[in-house]
Amino acid sequence: MKILLSKISIFSLMFFYSFGAQASCSMVPVVQVSFKSSSPKYYSVPAQSVRDACIKSDYVPVGCTHYKISYHYNYKTSNSKGCLGVNKIDMNLYYKEGDFYVYIEDKYPKGSCEYNAIKKHEDLHVKIDQTVDVKKIEALLKKCIIEINGRNMSGSVLGDAVKNCAQQAFDLDEGIRKENNRELDLDQTKQPNLKQNCQGNNYQFR
C-alpha cells in the first residue's frame, strides 16, 4: 500500500510539473497602435462656460482647451503546443465628435488683440493634445501582453488582463500629455500679457 501511494504521488508530481511547463510560454505579440488626430472647434462663450470647462482653484481662466481622447482595441489569441496567449493586438486612439474644443470668453471679439492672444496660447495646448506617443504606447503594451502570455490565461480572465494592459498604456500617454499641459501653464514666457500687448488686463489662461 505504501509503495502504491508513493507511485501515485510521484505520478501526480510529474503531471503537475508537465502541466506547469505548458502553462508558461513566451509568445511575443504583434502590436500596432494608431492615432487619428482631429482639429478642435473654437467657441466664444460666456465667462461662466469657460470656468465650467476648465475648473481651476488658483485662477479664473478666460480661455480653455478641452480634450478627451478615446480608444478601442482588438486582439487575437493562439494556442500552440499548450501555449495559450495573445499573438496580435491593435489599439486605436481617436477623438469622438464634440470631445475637442476651445472656449474663449465672449467679451473678447473675434479678431481683437485679446482674442488672438488667448487663442495663440490655447493653440499651444491644442498642439500638445494632438500628439500621441505611439511608439511608447506600443512598447508598454507589448511588454504587458508578454507578461500575461506567460500565465496561460483564457476566457474572461484573459480578456480582463488585456483590458488592463490597454488601459495602462493609454494612462501612460495621457499622463505625459497632462504634464506637458501643466508645464506650459507654468511657463511664464508663454503666457500672453494682455496688459502689455493689448493695453488691457493681464489674465491667466488654460
Side-chain angles (χ1 to χ4, degrees):
M1 179 63 72
K2 289 183 178 179
I3 295 176
L4 178 60
L5 288 174
S6 178
K7 288 182 176 180
I8 292 175
S9 298
I10 292 173
F11 176 79
S12 299
L13 187 62
M14 291 175 63
F15 177 79
F16 173 80
Y17 278 112
S18 175
F19 179 80
Q22 292 181 344
S24 179
C25 60
S26 56
M27 186 184 300
V28 179
V30 175
V31 179
Q32 292 183 328
V33 176
S34 63
F35 172 55
K36 185 178 180 181
S37 188
S38 181
S39 297
K41 293 184 178 180
Y42 294 81
Y43 299 98
S44 293
V45 298
Q48 189 58 51
S49 296
V50 179
R51 296 180 180 92
D52 291 342
C54 281
I55 299 173
K56 297 288 184 179
S57 59
D58 51 344
Y59 62 82
V60 178
V62 293
C64 175
T65 299
H66 171 88
Y67 78 94
K68 181 183 178 183
I69 296 177
S70 300
Y71 73 90
H72 68 264
Y73 62 90
N74 297 292
Y75 67 94
K76 295 181 179 179
T77 61
S78 68
N79 192 342
S80 177
K81 298 180 181 180
C83 177
L84 174 63
V86 176
N87 63 353
K88 188 176 190 302
I89 182 168
D90 298 317
M91 184 174 180
N92 307 107
L93 293 86
Y94 58 96
Y95 276 108
K96 292 181 181 179
E97 183 69 25
D99 279 348
F100 196 16
Y101 55 83
V102 176
Y103 279 173
I104 297 176
E105 195 171 330
D106 60 4
K107 75 175 182 179
Y108 305 109
K110 290 183 179 180
S112 67
C113 179
E114 290 86 356
Y115 180 94
N116 291 337
I118 298 169
K119 183 178 182 297
K120 182 178 180 181
H121 174 84
E122 295 305 321
D123 282 345
L124 296 176
H125 287 292
V126 167
K127 186 176 180 179
I128 292 173
D129 300 337
Q130 289 176 324
T131 303
V132 166
D133 194 335
V134 170
K135 294 301 181 183
K136 186 166 290 187
I137 294 178
E138 285 181 342
L140 180 60
L141 192 54
K142 184 175 184 178
K143 179 181 178 181
C144 188
I145 295 297
I146 289 175
E147 290 178 355
I148 66 174
N149 278 348
R151 302 173 189 173
N152 206 30
M153 302 178 193
S154 62
S156 61
V157 176
L158 176 61
D160 288 343
V162 174
K163 180 180 180 180
N164 184 59
C165 284
Q167 187 64 52
Q168 284 185 40
F170 176 79
D171 288 346
L172 170 70
D173 187 71
E174 182 69 5
I176 294 172
R177 192 161 31 255
K178 287 183 177 180
E179 179 60 22
N180 289 340
N181 277 314
R182 188 187 72 85
E183 290 180 356
L184 173 59
D185 281 332
L186 293 176
D187 187 347
Q188 294 301 313
T189 65
K190 295 179 180 178
Q191 296 293 331
N193 190 322
L194 299 187
K195 184 177 181 180
Q196 177 180 333
N197 297 328
C198 300
Q199 297 181 352
N201 295 313
N202 189 19
Y203 297 93
Q204 299 269 3
F205 299 84
R206 176 74 180 104

